[in-house]
Structure formats: C-alpha cells, structure tokens
Amino acid sequence: MKTMKTTTCAELKELLASGALVIDVMTPEDYAACHLAGAHNACIYEMVFLDRIAELVHDRSTGLILYDATGSSLTAEVARDRLVQAGYENVSVLEGGLAAVKASGLPVETGTEACPDAATADGSYAIDTEKSSLQWIGRNLNNRHHGTIALQAGELVMRDGRLSAGSIVLDMTSIENSDLQDPYWRDLLVRHLKSEDFFAVERFPTAAFRLIRWEPESAEYTDAPEGTALGELTIRGITRPVGFPAIVAPQQDGSIKAHAHFDIDRTLWDAGYGSAKLFERLGMHLVHDLVTLELFVLAVRK
C-alpha cells in the first residue's frame, strides 16, 4: 500500500523557514480568489503543470508542500505523484488543504472577491437557448448520421446547492443534419426525420423533458457533481419515464452548465421506421432503434 508524505498546518511554519515552497495546485481562478500567503500556483489540471514547477523550482531537492481545496480529493495527491515521478525528492501534501489553512488562522491572500463558496445559490435558472444545444446520432447498417435540435425553452431549479427540478422544451421543427454535404440528400433526410416515419413534427412540433428527481453520485463534492437525472420524456405526444447520467457544474460567474450523454429507444415513442422489432425483410432500410442524444446546457439565474 502506497504511503503519501503529508504535512500539517502546525508543521508548515517551520518548513517554510527552512526554505520549503508551498504550491497551490488548483486553478488560477481559485488561486486568485484565495490562497495561502506566499504560496505559488501551478495547476495540476493544466498540461504545463511540470513546466510551471520547473520555472519555480530549480533544485529538485527543494522541499515542496502541495495543497488543494479541502484535501478530500485526489487533486494534491496526483500532483505529488507527478512530481515524484519527475524526480523531485522532497514533496508532501498539506493535510486538509486550503480549508485547513483558513481554519488554522494562517494568513491568506484574497482577490477582489472573497474565497469562492462551492454552493450554488438556490432558485430558478433560465436555460440560454442560444448557448445550449441537443445533438443527435442515428445509425443504420451502412452509416451514421448526426445533427442538432434547438432548445426552445427551459429552466433548472437549485435547492440546497443541488439540482432539484427542471424542464426542457425542444423545437422539433428545427431538426438539422450536420454530416451530409450534398443539399439534396441532407434535405431528404431532414424531411424523412420530420415525417410520420419518425417524429411527426407537423402534429408534434415540440418534445419535452421534465426532471422529477436528481440523485447525486456523491455528497462530498458540490462544485461539479455527477449524478442521475430521473424524469419524463415526451415525444410525439407520448410520455415515458427516463433516467440518465449527467453532470451539473456551477460556474464562477454564477451560471450553471450541465451535460448529459445517453441513448433512447425511439420505438417506445412510436418512431418506428426501419425497426427490426416492428417490420420484416427490411433489407437496406433497417435503422437501429437506439438514438444517441447529447445535451449541453447553460443556465443563468432568473
């Protein structure tokens, strides 16, 4: 079992006096908002992490003390592993991270804003339909096609710093194909998708998803929690329960970004063209039942 070298806040002052350097391994934005006084910044999430360390430390025997936000994730531990593998000889992780620094009363430096709070303000967030998108992928035996469907409206509702409800309305009249270059074939496919064979757009110009419940994967991290969205999807006037993994990530400007990637069986919503479950001897007209949907959402506080 691997043993990681750690340093406590109580030991920190003596180590600094002996020439050790403290490295904040979080993002430059987090560092600018709040960091231990005198600490340097080298973000472990950036590809230039080791280059940045090399700029700061010319002697690889120099004592390095790394810290992240809370010490409860792998952030500082992974940074330490990278440095040890790169030949740095004396690297430790500060127990409890920046949270322990503040709790111990050690001096911190802040930017124009206070140290960021991971919790998101409760309330309703309107989905920015211009900066949000739904991408689709459909497949047959010979090919795959992909395109987009525009979002017409929607909102996310946050309660106790977590996603608690939401809704999205899709403009099915906006179905587009992105992979066919020939205008004739592209328009032919789009008309096909809008027809009664698939989504019957003339009769059902919108589709909708209503979030009933959000089940977070972990209660530990509130800044970008992964979880499962459970709700109801309505297509062609048919409403069925669905569940899919998603990420809901609060942004530093107060907005929320969300992303989900999942498959649906289109035949459950009567979009049955070319399904081998419903028709026989399809030949070249066989179309896979599963359609892949990928949703990108940006929502801003109302």
Side-chain angles (χ1 to χ4, degrees):
M1 181 176 179
K2 181 176 65 175
T3 301
M4 181 178 65
K5 183 178 180 181
T6 61
T7 295
T8 66
C9 287
E11 297 168 333
L12 186 58
K13 186 174 181 180
E14 181 178 342
L15 290 170
L16 290 175
S18 68
L21 295 179
V22 179
I23 309 294
D24 181 317
V25 298
M26 296 182 289
T27 66
E29 294 80 11
D30 281 328
Y31 175 80
C34 185
H35 59 267
L36 174 67
H40 302 275
N41 181 228
C43 178
I44 182 58
Y45 306 132
E46 296 178 349
M47 293 181 64
V48 295
F49 171 68
L50 289 177
D51 296 330
R52 175 62 177 148
I53 293 293
E55 293 173 358
L56 295 170
V57 185
H58 302 294
D59 182 353
R60 297 197 177 192
S61 65
T62 300
L64 300 178
I65 304 164
L66 314 180
Y67 74 81
D68 52 26
T70 63
S72 61
S73 72
L74 293 177
T75 307
E77 181 178 345
V78 167
R80 179 184 182 275
D81 288 347
R82 296 288 184 274
L83 292 176
V84 170
Q85 291 167 8
Y88 291 87
E89 303 170 7
N90 187 12
V91 188
S92 66
V93 170
L94 184 64
E95 295 179 4
L98 183 60
V101 168
K102 291 187 285 186
S104 69
L106 288 169
V108 296
E109 297 175 348
T110 61
T112 56
E113 298 180 1
C115 298
D117 189 343
T120 302
D122 288 352
S124 295
Y125 292 73
I127 291 177
D128 186 330
T129 57
E130 295 297 320
K131 296 181 180 179
S132 303
S133 66
L134 179 73
Q135 301 176 11
W136 58 265
I137 300 175
R139 305 170 180 87
N140 57 36
L141 287 176
N142 301 311
N143 209 337
R144 65 195 289 272
H145 296 296
H146 60 88
T148 60
I149 301 174
L151 276 64
Q152 188 177 95
E155 70 170 353
L156 302 178
V157 179
M158 305 295 290
R159 183 176 296 115
D160 298 327
R162 296 281 193 185
L163 180 64
S164 65
S167 63
I168 295 174
V169 178
L170 301 174
D171 178 6
M172 299 302 288
T173 68
S174 72
I175 294 175
E176 293 288 350
N177 167 263
S178 302
D179 62 277
L180 292 173
Q181 300 303 309
D182 187 303
Y184 172 80
W185 291 109
R186 183 173 61 244
D187 293 346
L188 186 66
L189 175 59
V190 169
R191 291 200 305 272
H192 193 26
L193 294 174
K194 291 181 177 181
S195 75
E196 293 290 330
D197 286 337
F198 286 97
F199 299 110
V201 167
E202 188 172 332
R203 290 192 296 126
F204 305 101
T206 63
F209 171 71
R210 181 172 73 92
L211 178 69
I212 297 174
R213 190 169 76 256
W214 168 262
E215 295 183 349
E217 183 175 298
S218 171
E220 294 183 29
Y221 310 115
T222 57
D223 58 341
E226 298 184 5
T228 301
L230 300 171
E232 296 177 338
L233 180 61
T234 301
I235 303 173
R236 290 181 61 122
I238 299 170
T239 300
R240 293 189 180 277
V242 293
F244 49 85
I247 295 177
V248 180
Q251 304 298 294
Q252 291 190 344
D253 63 2
S255 65
I256 297 173
K257 287 187 177 181
H259 173 256
H261 178 274
F262 59 100
D263 293 334
I264 63 169
D265 182 343
R266 60 189 173 86
T267 66
L268 297 177
W269 286 270
D270 283 356
Y273 177 87
S275 171
K277 291 190 301 189
L278 305 175
F279 303 99
E280 60 185 355
R281 301 184 64 82
L282 284 163
M284 63 176 290
H285 302 289
L286 188 149
V287 178
H288 290 198
D289 294 339
L290 295 182
V291 175
T292 299
L293 301 177
E294 188 161 13
L295 181 65
F296 296 89
V297 168
L298 172 66
V300 296
R301 185 74 183 275
K302 289 185 177 180

